[in-house]
Amino acid sequence: MNNIAVHECVKKMALTFLFPLLFIMPQIVFADAPELLLAKIYNDDIDVTQYLVSEKFDGVRAVWDGKTLTTRQGNPIAAPAWFIANFPKSPLDGELWIARGAFDQVSGVVRSQSPVDADWRQVSYLIFELPNGKGDFSTRYQTLKHIIATANVKHLKLVKQFKVNNKAALKQKMVAVIALKGEGLMLHRANALYETGRSDVLLKLKPYLDAEAKVIAHLPGKGKYAGKMGSLLVELPDGVQFKLGTGFSDAERAHPPAIGSTVRFIYQHNTKTGKPRFARFLRIRQPSD
């Protein structure tokens, strides 16, 4: 076959397979992440009496717009029809949750595009905010009480908000939640109007800090970890690199997170050079995080 014949063949293939895409591509819709309120880290300078406090649930954040359920990135969640059948028309913001310490389990359920009824019957939708709701947060909380009570859906639940009299009472509640293997507490300023973005009207209080980093390399192990991954070389968003070597199971060391993937880790504080101190691997970042 000469060059002219090859050219004509390629041209025909392009017309056959690529031309129909001109009609398909305009129909492709990319998810738009909803604008949500994101928490900052708690600090001891605040007046805790001005906040409503709740337990921090480590589930998958989900937004109900009155018709569909999506992740915080705007991706549709394939929940069974019965799960959302009697949800209210009002928008809701909350966490899909199974139990304390069961993030991996609920994350797997939510990510599945083929929902299994038996799995979803373990899931609750815990509501903590009324998107674009009127009034301050304490008023929105009362509105949510009415909305959820009226809906009367067993797996649709309101996150309990409460007040504390001082920092000592806050820390005492924190200790009680951690003893139950909970993750920590959330503080939402009671007089705050609804807003989005990262703001100090919403604070998270945990016994440790958490962050994310990109996997740069796998560093070989020694001794009992010979032949396996000893630690990960990871990079923070600000460019700081450090070794992450604890918190891994033997299976994770044999099959470590892929280079280029993002991992979540916990730590106590940063060193003077900006490296996380006492960092410990938590999990690979999932699309639903």
Side-chain angles (χ1 to χ4, degrees):
M1 183 180 292
N2 58 35
N3 290 339
I4 295 176
V6 171
H7 176 77
E8 289 300 318
C9 182
V10 172
K11 183 177 179 181
K12 288 180 180 179
M13 290 177 65
L15 290 173
T16 301
F17 296 103
L18 299 181
F19 184 71
L21 293 179
L22 296 176
F23 297 94
I24 296 174
M25 289 179 66
Q27 299 175 25
I28 297 175
V29 177
F30 295 94
D32 290 324
E35 295 184 357
L36 302 174
L37 175 61
L38 303 175
K40 287 189 175 182
I41 304 297
Y42 168 87
N43 65 81
D44 273 332
D45 294 333
I46 69 166
D47 178 1
V48 297
T49 65
Q50 301 303 306
Y51 288 76
L52 285 172
V53 183
S54 65
E55 180 174 345
K56 185 182 188 304
F57 294 97
D58 191 17
V60 176
R61 192 165 184 179
V63 182
W64 172 252
D65 65 2
K67 295 181 180 179
T68 57
L69 195 63
T70 64
T71 66
R72 59 178 288 186
Q73 291 80 22
N75 300 315
I77 295 173
W82 59 262
F83 189 86
I84 61 175
N86 296 310
F87 277 13
K89 298 300 181 183
S90 304
L92 301 170
D93 187 3
E95 298 270 329
L96 292 169
W97 186 78
I98 291 179
R100 297 183 181 99
F103 173 82
D104 289 339
Q105 183 182 357
V106 70
S107 179
V109 172
V110 173
R111 293 199 314 273
S112 175
Q113 294 302 304
S114 300
V116 178
D117 281 357
D119 293 339
W120 275 90
R121 293 199 185 280
Q122 303 176 72
V123 178
S124 294
Y125 187 21
L126 309 183
I127 307 303
F128 50 68
E129 182 58 284
L130 180 64
N132 296 309
K134 296 180 180 180
D136 58 22
F137 180 62
S138 59
T139 300
R140 298 197 301 278
Y141 178 54
Q142 295 302 319
T143 303
L144 282 170
K145 280 185 178 180
H146 174 73
I147 290 172
I148 293 176
T150 302
N152 194 29
V153 176
K154 183 179 180 181
H155 50 271
L156 185 64
K157 302 175 182 179
L158 181 64
V159 172
K160 181 181 179 182
Q161 304 285 342
F162 56 91
K163 300 204 76 171
V164 294
N165 294 325
N166 49 50
K167 290 182 175 66
L170 180 69
K171 296 296 175 65
Q172 187 177 20
K173 183 61 180 178
M174 173 74 164
V175 170
V177 167
I178 298 304
L180 294 172
K181 298 185 177 181
E183 191 183 16
L185 300 176
M186 299 297 296
L187 293 83
H188 200 142
R189 203 168 69 215
N191 66 354
L193 298 177
Y194 185 77
E195 63 177 271
T196 60
R198 199 165 297 280
S199 170
D200 58 8
V201 305
L202 182 66
L203 304 171
K204 58 183 175 181
L205 172 61
K206 302 199 294 187
Y208 50 80
L209 302 173
D210 61 62
E212 297 180 349
K214 182 179 179 180
V215 178
I216 302 301
H218 299 153
L219 305 180
K222 300 177 181 179
K224 68 176 181 178
Y225 296 135
K228 297 181 179 180
M229 180 271 293
S231 61
L232 298 176
L233 179 63
V234 298
E235 183 176 273
L236 297 171
D238 61 5
V240 172
Q241 295 185 0
F242 68 98
K243 295 178 182 179
L244 183 60
T246 61
F248 300 98
S249 66
D250 287 344
E252 289 166 336
R253 290 185 183 279
H255 304 283
I259 293 175
S261 64
T262 299
V263 296
R264 301 191 72 175
F265 64 92
I266 56 176
Y267 66 105
Q268 289 190 1
H269 54 83
N270 286 327
T271 65
K272 292 181 179 179
T273 58
K275 294 183 178 181
R277 189 171 175 81
F278 303 119
R280 183 179 181 84
F281 172 77
L282 191 59
R283 61 176 179 265
I284 298 173
R285 187 187 188 280
Q286 302 295 343
S288 53
D289 281 357

